[in-house]
Amino acid sequence: MELLYLLVVFLVIVGLLALRRPLYQAMLGGLLATAFFYRLSPVTMAEGAGRVFTQWNSLQVLVSLYLITFLQRMLEARQMIKQAQQDLNGIFHNRRVNAGGAPVFIGLLPSAAAMILCADIVKDATDGYLDAKEQAFVTSWMRHIPESILPTYSGVLLMCSLSGVALPRFMLGMIVPTLVLALLGYFPYIHRLPKDPGTPPSNNRRRDAGNLLAHLWPLLLIIALILIFNISVVPATLSAMAALALVCRFKPGELLPMVKSAFEVKLLLNTFLVLVLKEWIGCTGVLEQLPLALSGLPIPMYLVFVLLFFLGGMISGASGIIALGTPLAFAAMDGGMPLMVLLMCISHAASQVSPVHVCLVVAADYYHVSMGALIRKTLPVALLFCLLMIGYYNILMLL
């Protein structure tokens, strides 16, 4: 019955989004349905909402959203993002590279707020050729490709730890899925863009490459601090902001208005409600019931875990189902690297259509489309990716 209640909760959210209600109203409806059907006490609800602020993993999402938005304002004030777009045009002279490659590069930043920077470039490269829903899909899908393979993301590190698969071996197995993700993002929409960006070709690509580094160095600094020095997103972003303020000689009079303008209430409120819904669903214990509900299905064991990771990933996001399902999967099967690759791919695909995925909130808000519309655009591609990865798993098992 608890699983049926969960379905009702998600139908409430989807129904409100279908009625074109704002995301915060849909999330509030989902929260009310969760509290009603699971009979959550006021204390449980308050504790769940409070954990968004008391647990750093949740709070840093809100803090990093604010800081990246602030950094974006600083970059815009010096026109560095616009100039970086011109540099990309000079280097590649290809609109498709701008639309597809820039989000993958910025996706190296393990922060939902990186979606804002991705969206700035994608929108500039695709305006007039793709509609807002298609732009949101391209931004979201391409930005998340690094999340499926890089150890800068918690899901990868967590699954490696729980499965016992060595990280280099996992990354080797993920080369094909990563390429498939890129192709699935390219062919629906990016390939429709004209290659010509509408600007004269560069006569000095080496200079343009140097200019690109000069205009994107704050992002490169953040990535270096995270990858090389293992610094988390918030202090890395603060360091880049401080360095940018010094190098570009920002005056206090320029920065003070940004303190307010970077505080985007709608974006932060939507993100907060998504995080609260995730906490409340975690309180119900419904995720722990999924393996038992699926175990009686007349299908191979690996497909049982495919269903578990996809459904669980939609409910809790990738990290939640990885923490719950990985020990179960590797206790039930001796799958090694192929099983880890399969389950990571499935959880990654599920997170791209999950109502509790914060990045979808950011993308939908930026392009002024409903999250339901973004999920409908993404779902067929995510399901196709899952089918292809099931085939890839079987090939790996034969090798």
Side-chain angles (χ1 to χ4, degrees):
M1 185 60 72
E2 282 77 7
L3 292 174
L4 180 60
Y5 291 158
L6 185 63
L7 176 62
V8 173
V9 170
F10 277 80
L11 287 176
V12 168
I13 296 173
V14 171
L16 289 171
L17 291 173
L19 293 173
R20 300 185 181 279
R21 305 313 305 162
L23 179 58
Y24 78 90
Q25 293 183 12
M27 285 299 154
L28 285 173
L31 288 169
L32 290 174
T34 302
F36 175 77
F37 286 109
Y38 290 103
R39 300 178 183 178
L40 299 180
S41 68
V43 173
T44 300
M45 290 187 288
E47 289 177 346
R51 279 194 293 272
V52 174
F53 296 107
T54 58
Q55 292 185 351
W56 180 238
N57 284 340
S58 295
L59 180 59
Q60 73 172 343
V61 174
L62 297 173
V63 175
S64 63
L65 273 175
Y66 175 78
L67 293 178
I68 292 290
T69 305
F70 198 114
L71 177 62
Q72 179 195 22
R73 298 288 190 272
M74 296 175 70
L75 294 171
E76 287 174 345
R78 295 295 185 265
Q79 296 187 324
M80 294 174 71
I81 294 178
K82 185 175 181 62
Q83 291 171 336
Q85 177 75 40
Q86 295 169 352
D87 299 331
L88 285 171
N89 287 339
I91 296 170
F92 299 103
H93 203 245
N94 191 320
R95 189 184 298 270
R96 298 175 186 176
V97 173
N98 296 352
V104 173
F105 171 75
I106 297 176
L108 297 173
L109 289 173
S111 168
M115 288 289 289
I116 300 170
L117 302 174
C118 295
D120 280 340
I121 295 178
V122 171
K123 188 174 189 302
D124 186 66
T126 60
D127 260 350
Y129 301 98
L130 301 180
D131 63 32
K133 296 174 186 176
E134 294 166 343
Q135 290 174 327
F137 166 81
V138 169
T139 304
S140 177
W141 186 268
M142 300 303 288
R143 173 258 180 272
H144 284 105
I145 290 176
E147 188 170 319
S148 66
I149 186 173
L150 292 182
T152 50
Y153 287 92
S154 59
V156 173
L157 292 175
L158 183 60
M159 188 177 281
C160 281
S161 174
L162 294 174
S163 68
V165 176
L167 181 61
R169 185 166 170 75
F170 162 73
M171 295 182 72
L172 180 64
M174 282 298 296
I175 292 175
V176 170
T178 302
L179 293 175
V180 172
L181 284 170
L183 291 173
L184 290 176
Y186 176 83
F187 280 106
Y189 305 114
I190 296 176
H191 83 286
R192 287 167 30 192
L193 301 174
K195 290 184 178 180
D196 189 346
T199 58
S202 172
N203 54 15
N204 192 335
R205 294 187 175 182
R206 180 177 297 179
R207 180 193 61 200
D208 291 329
N211 288 338
L212 180 65
L213 294 177
H215 295 140
L216 291 182
W217 69 263
L219 300 184
L220 295 173
L221 176 59
I222 295 173
I223 292 170
L225 291 173
I226 293 170
L227 292 178
I228 300 174
F229 299 101
N230 200 29
I231 297 175
S232 62
V233 174
V234 171
T237 305
L238 284 170
S239 300
M241 291 168 60
L244 181 61
L246 289 174
V247 171
C248 293
R249 299 180 181 180
F250 276 91
K251 298 178 180 178
E254 293 180 274
L255 295 174
L256 285 176
M258 297 179 190
V259 174
K260 181 179 180 180
S261 67
F263 193 85
E264 297 189 1
V265 176
K266 182 180 176 183
L267 175 61
L268 293 172
L269 175 62
N270 287 339
T271 304
F272 170 72
L273 293 175
V274 168
L275 293 171
V276 172
L277 178 63
K278 185 176 180 179
E279 290 290 339
W280 285 14
I281 289 176
C283 292
T284 67
V286 68
L287 280 177
E288 285 77 3
Q289 299 182 29
L290 274 175
L292 182 62
L294 297 174
S295 61
L297 296 176
I299 56 177
M301 183 62 69
Y302 78 90
L303 288 180
V304 170
F305 285 106
V306 165
L307 291 175
L308 172 63
F309 271 68
F310 192 82
L311 295 175
M314 288 187 64
I315 295 167
S316 67
S319 295
I321 192 57
I322 286 171
L324 170 70
T326 303
L328 297 174
F330 280 83
M333 299 177 60
D334 183 19
M337 181 270 284
L339 181 61
M340 180 180 172
V341 167
L342 174 64
L343 298 181
M344 177 58 72
C345 290
I346 300 302
S347 61
H348 177 81
S351 71
Q352 305 314 303
V353 292
S354 171
V356 299
H357 189 168
V358 173
C359 291
L360 302 190
V361 177
V362 179
D365 187 74
Y366 183 95
Y367 289 105
H368 305 293
V369 300
S370 71
M371 193 159 71
L374 175 55
I375 290 175
R376 287 194 296 272
K377 279 285 184 188
T378 308
L379 183 59
V381 185
L383 291 175
L384 176 58
F385 177 67
C386 289
L387 290 175
L388 293 173
M389 291 306 100
I390 289 172
Y392 178 59
Y393 165 79
N394 282 283
I395 292 172
L396 287 178
M397 292 301 291
L398 292 174
L399 296 178

